[in-house]
Amino acid sequence: MGSLGPKLKFIFSFRPAVSRRYAWVDYAKGIAIIFVVYRHVLYGLLYSGVTVDPVMMDANEILYGFRMPLFFFLSGLFFSSSLQKRGPADFLVTKINTLLYPYVLWCFIQLTLQIVFSNYTNFKRGVGNYIDILIHPRGMLQQWYLFALFNVTALYLFNHVVLRLKAPLQVLLGLVMLGLIPLAGTISTISDVMMFYIFFCLGHLAAPYFFEERVQQQLASGYKVVILLPVFAVAQYYTMEHPEANMYVFSSLAMFGALLVIMISFLLARYKRMTFLQTLGHYSLYIYLLHLGIIFLMRMALLHLGLQVGMPVMTLILMIAGILFSIILYRTCLLLHLEFLFIGPFKTRTATMPIGKAAADKANGQ
């Protein structure tokens, strides 16, 4: 058995030893995951009976519309390169391992805990809610995103490989689905695909241009970011004042917000500022999976202790705790060889050991 020192160093050394991705992608995901955690903290406090500052709720609404489209757009950007690297079969298996498997597993875990501890949770669940895992993923709180991204990716893969639809036709299909969202009714498995398919399409369509040096230099422009920020503020104010706006207007404004975050990410990556965002982006999936339970426990403890802290301070405490303890818990799971909690067991022809697992084995002296 190895000494305790290397294990503790592994758990608390958040910065990954190797990053295989573009830095700006992790920056963008880091920004988006902070927005996600912020929203969940606010609504958790609200449902617990805490009075939430209206300004903070307005800020949440401003940040809400574009953060999920951003994730789908980024996934679309890397569709072609990932497909070319792995091939269709391995590509699909990889998505099953990294999206579908953790979605089903963590929905089952979360729903079971909600049923067992129903007297302490904001949402009352029953055995009948297990069917929602496949029919109504929006009822699974934050986990719905994983199922939506898997379904969008799988459908796009089918259309691309089997039907051989070119990217422009995929975009047209995405636009048609946007207009047909009301037909999905309450089946969010379908409506989520119809809503976010267009953003994945746009990512795939933009990929050939996005990775050109000339285009990236244009995107990493502080001057353009400063110019676009007021435009962004006006656009978000419009969506707040016109919640009845059609999906095409909403999607256009959401894509604009996502593009602005990407430009800011390019800028931060170029000058290596606020590098903690890059680290958060690297762990964004695991923060997404784990933070809600951590925030719940922390919120219960703070409210039970009756600490006299202001709403902004409590929000900040819960956000920091949710993010940091998610990373600590994930790295602890790696150290304990509990990788099965985060990635499926299905083998691909090009299977390799994850970097995190290799580092955990080293910390364990293996």
Side-chain angles (χ1 to χ4, degrees), residues 103-117:
Y103 167 74
V104 173
L105 176 63
W106 282 95
C107 279
F108 182 82
I109 293 172
Q110 183 171 286
L111 184 54
T112 301
L113 290 175
Q114 286 178 324
I115 293 173
V116 173
F117 298 102

Side-chain angles (χ1 to χ4, degrees), residues 163-240:
L163 300 184
R164 298 185 180 279
L165 296 184
K166 301 298 183 183
L169 284 179
Q170 295 265 42
V171 172
L172 178 61
L173 175 61
L175 291 173
V176 170
M177 285 197 288
L178 270 182
L180 298 178
I181 287 177
L183 298 180
T186 59
I187 305 176
S188 58
T189 297
I190 298 175
S191 62
D192 284 338
V193 172
M194 298 174 79
M195 175 174 290
F196 294 107
Y197 193 86
I198 183 62
F199 300 107
F200 192 98
C201 295
L202 291 174
H204 182 213
L205 189 64
Y209 313 99
F210 236 78
F211 297 103
E212 291 184 4
E213 182 64 26
R214 177 182 58 84
V215 174
Q216 293 190 357
Q217 288 179 354
Q218 293 294 321
L219 290 171
S221 168
Y223 173 76
K224 291 179 180 177
V225 168
V226 172
I227 294 297
L228 291 176
L229 278 174
V231 181
F232 166 77
V234 171
Q236 295 307 308
Y237 177 79
Y238 176 85
T239 57
M240 289 177 59

Side-chain angles (χ1 to χ4, degrees), residues 33-52:
I33 199 65
I34 288 176
F35 294 163
V36 169
V37 175
Y38 176 71
R39 178 178 178 84
H40 293 160
V41 167
L42 283 190
Y43 275 95
L45 290 170
L46 184 66
Y47 294 146
S48 297
V50 178
T51 301
V52 178

Side-chain angles (χ1 to χ4, degrees), residues 270-307:
R270 167 177 284 188
Y271 296 103
K272 297 182 180 180
R273 304 296 185 185
M274 302 178 71
T275 54
F276 72 91
L277 291 173
Q278 184 180 357
T279 302
L280 298 189
H282 179 85
Y283 293 106
S284 59
L285 174 61
Y286 313 114
I287 295 172
Y288 200 91
L289 285 171
L290 298 171
H291 76 277
L292 210 62
I294 294 170
I295 289 172
F296 165 73
L297 293 175
M298 288 292 297
R299 184 178 68 243
M300 291 289 292
L302 289 175
L303 294 178
H304 179 74
L305 292 173
L307 298 178

Side-chain angles (χ1 to χ4, degrees), residues 70-122:
L70 172 61
F71 280 121
F72 283 87
F73 181 81
L74 291 174
S75 296
L77 277 178
F78 290 91
F79 172 78
S80 287
S81 59
S82 184
L83 181 62
Q84 184 177 7
K85 177 182 177 181
R86 295 184 171 89
D90 278 4
F91 177 87
L92 182 59
V93 172
T94 299
K95 296 305 176 184
I96 291 173
N97 281 333
T98 58
L99 295 175
L100 183 60
Y101 171 86
Y103 167 74
V104 173
L105 176 63
W106 282 95
C107 279
F108 182 82
I109 293 172
Q110 183 171 286
L111 184 54
T112 301
L113 290 175
Q114 286 178 324
I115 293 173
V116 173
F117 298 102
S118 59
N119 292 334
Y120 304 97
T121 61
N122 291 327

Side-chain angles (χ1 to χ4, degrees), residues 19-30 78 216 265-266 268-270 272 275 277-279 281-282:
S19 178
R20 296 180 179 176
R21 295 177 291 184
Y22 294 91
W24 63 268
V25 176
D26 281 335
Y27 270 99
K29 288 186 176 182
F78 290 91
Q216 293 190 357
S265 301
F266 269 115
L268 292 173
R270 167 177 284 188
K272 297 182 180 180
T275 54
L277 291 173
Q278 184 180 357
T279 302
H282 179 85

